[in-house]
Amino acid sequence: MRGYRTSAVALKGELPPHAIREVDETYRRERERVIRCGLAVDALERAWRS
């Protein structure tokens, strides 16, 4: 999630501070969702191989 680490720097001067915080929060939420989806896919693949 490189975007999360660099978003505040990349957006500084382009967006107001509260909008940058919203972008950061969205990255955090989506990161968790992507991780959960990946774990679910891994579990399904393991089940299909059994």
Side-chain angles (χ1 to χ4, degrees):
M1 299 287 295
R2 185 173 169 218
Y4 167 73
R5 291 186 292 249
T6 61
S7 64
V9 173
L11 297 173
K12 188 176 183 178
E14 301 294 325
L15 296 174
H18 72 277
I20 293 172
R21 285 191 297 273
E22 289 294 323
V23 169
D24 286 344
E25 182 57 34
T26 300
Y27 268 118
R28 282 189 206 103
R29 275 194 317 269
E30 288 302 303
R31 178 182 180 272
E32 295 302 317
R33 186 182 65 82
V34 168
I35 289 169
R36 285 192 309 270
C37 287
L39 292 173
V41 168
D42 288 344
L44 285 171
E45 287 178 342
R46 284 191 306 272
W48 285 331
R49 288 185 199 140
S50 299

